[in-house]
Amino acid sequence: MTSTIDPPLPRPQAAPRSPVIREVAARRRRTEARRAHLSLGESRTARVLTFTVLTVLALLWLLPAAGGLLTSFKSEQDASDPVHWLWPKHGFTLDGFRSVWERGELPLWMFNSFLVAAAVTVITVAVSAMAGYAFSRTRFAGRKGLFTVVVAAVLVPPQMLIVPWFQQMLTLNLVDTYAAVILPQTVAPVMVFILKKHFDSLPRELEEAARIDGAGHFRIFWSVLLPLSRPMLSAVAIFVFIGAWNNFLWPFVSTSDPDLMTLPVGITSVKDAYGVQYAQSMASAVLAALPLVVVFLFFQRHIIKSVATTGLGGQ
């Protein structure tokens, strides 16, 4: 009796990968290579040393903020006492916050700051997004020259524009109005540049598919590109909001009406017959910083995602 052994079945050959799959795989390998290059490596000593240095730098950065927070909970007498700078002689108190709030000026300053910062954010994001789309997705005469002007404007310090802005507000009879505080701050060429580069990174196949369906520029911008740009738009909005909230020089120059003061301008006027009130000034600064902390805590995920997408992603 003879036994027969079946020959092994041939292995199925893998189907050849399409050029799109190969391009995606190559891009993924390049991304991983960049991440490996930016990482700290496998050396435990290098990582411990790096995190130690970063911790020390973070503590140095937080030291002034901790000092201001500590001063805000002191009495005016203890706030100017250099001996008991860490633990006040008369204990901690909320008198500084209570005095600032009862004066009735802080709520008005906070309202003005919120109104100005919100208006500047909405206008800047809208104008910058539309300008970034125009530079990225349209072709018109003088496009390269105009974009060169935008890039060059990034290098101009805002302090150099104070006098032209003020003369313009005088000509338009807008001095001592909300418009005078808001409109000049909406000029943000760096945000136009960032959003233009972001729109450049989005796949053009989506735009071409929308054009086949009959969509125009506004429809593509509103329904296709903007939904894909929410993390970047959120990051831009947060940076613009923080800059407008903390801006001191232009609101100080453009208005002289106390009812139009923003928080940075109003905090500098916290004085009485005895001079500067350090505890009240620090209490005002702490209250002024709270909205920014809340905004950052709510939207930090969008900031991290936008930085990761435009940085480590190689886009």
Side-chain angles (χ1 to χ4, degrees), residues 159-282:
Q159 293 79 6
M160 295 182 60
L161 302 176
I162 294 296
V163 174
W165 283 346
F166 189 77
Q167 291 178 343
Q168 188 175 14
M169 294 302 105
L170 280 177
T171 303
L172 297 176
N173 198 22
L174 293 178
V175 177
D176 279 339
T177 63
Y178 284 114
V181 184
I182 294 171
L183 293 180
Q185 296 188 68
T186 60
V187 181
V190 64
M191 299 305 172
V192 176
F193 178 81
I194 291 174
L195 290 174
K196 189 264 183 188
K197 291 300 181 182
H198 170 70
F199 288 135
D200 287 343
S201 67
L202 298 179
R204 295 186 176 272
E205 289 78 5
L206 298 175
E207 179 183 355
E208 294 172 359
R211 289 192 181 280
I212 293 176
D213 293 337
H217 280 298
F218 181 78
R219 188 68 175 177
I220 294 172
F221 170 73
W222 184 260
S223 300
V224 178
L225 297 186
L226 282 189
L228 297 175
S229 307
R230 287 176 183 173
M232 177 59 69
L233 293 176
S234 299
V236 169
I238 291 173
F239 292 139
V240 173
F241 184 89
I242 293 175
W245 184 277
N246 291 330
N247 194 355
F248 166 78
L249 184 58
W250 176 246
F252 177 76
V253 172
S254 60
T255 60
S256 58
D257 187 355
D259 293 335
L260 296 177
M261 281 186 178
T262 57
L263 268 171
V265 179
I267 290 175
T268 61
S269 65
V270 179
K271 301 178 182 179
D272 63 6
Y274 300 99
V276 179
Q277 302 296 298
Y278 295 103
Q280 295 182 30
S281 297
M282 290 299 101

Side-chain angles (χ1 to χ4, degrees), residues 41-49:
E42 299 296 331
S43 174
R44 181 179 178 84
T45 304
R47 282 188 284 184
V48 171
L49 181 61

Side-chain angles (χ1 to χ4, degrees), residues 48-126:
V48 171
L49 181 61
T50 300
F51 284 117
T52 302
V53 173
L54 292 177
T55 302
V56 172
L57 293 177
L59 291 176
L60 291 176
W61 181 82
L62 289 173
L63 189 60
L69 181 63
L70 190 66
T71 303
S72 66
F73 288 98
K74 296 180 181 179
S75 63
E76 293 297 342
Q77 181 181 357
D78 292 332
S80 57
D81 185 3
V83 178
H84 304 88
W85 63 272
L86 182 59
W87 191 269
K89 183 177 180 180
H90 300 90
F92 293 102
T93 179
L94 296 175
D95 290 342
F97 294 94
R98 190 179 300 110
S99 299
V100 171
W101 193 264
E102 288 177 351
R103 290 173 59 179
E105 298 171 342
L106 188 64
L108 178 61
W109 298 341
M110 294 187 71
F111 171 78
N112 291 337
S113 291
F114 181 79
L115 177 63
V116 170
V120 170
T121 301
V122 171
I123 297 175
T124 301
V125 172

